[in-house]
Amino acid sequence: GLGDVYKRQVSVRGFDFEVYDLGGRVIRRLALGLLSAGEHQTSWDGMDNNSSRVPPGMYVLRMEAAIESGNEGFTRIIGVSY
């Protein structure tokens, strides 16, 4: 699957990983919850919330973490091909 590594020196109270199509619809949502300080890796297997493989194309990946000082995150465009 498509993966990303997330590193923090402090604990994360909540961690969300979402994939959107280019129309802004949520394709996949993973709420990973509490994470200890350190390095964590998560990946997307190309499946939607209904466990169906998404069609080839471009998607938006958004990761957001709730930490002591507020929220932080990043967004990137990813491509899927088979």
Side-chain angles (χ1 to χ4, degrees), residues 55-74:
M58 302 302 287
Y59 295 86
V60 177
L61 166 67
R62 186 182 71 79
M63 297 174 80
E64 187 171 318
I67 59 174
E68 284 282 320
S69 59
N71 290 346
E72 65 177 32
F74 65 87

Side-chain angles (χ1 to χ4, degrees), residues 16-20 26 28-30 60-63:
D16 293 323
F17 177 93
E18 296 175 321
V19 179
Y20 297 83
V26 176
R28 183 74 183 263
R29 177 176 285 136
L30 300 170
V60 177
L61 166 67
R62 186 182 71 79
M63 297 174 80

Side-chain angles (χ1 to χ4, degrees), residues 26-77:
V26 176
I27 299 299
R28 183 74 183 263
R29 177 176 285 136
L30 300 170
L32 303 178
L34 180 65
L35 298 175
S36 60
E39 182 176 304
H40 301 277
Q41 184 167 354
T42 188
S43 64
W44 176 47
D45 57 7
M47 306 296 260
D48 64 17
N49 283 329
N50 297 317
S51 299
S52 298
R53 190 165 71 167
V54 300
M58 302 302 287
Y59 295 86
V60 177
L61 166 67
R62 186 182 71 79
M63 297 174 80
E64 187 171 318
I67 59 174
E68 284 282 320
S69 59
N71 290 346
E72 65 177 32
F74 65 87
T75 302
R76 68 176 52 153
I77 302 293

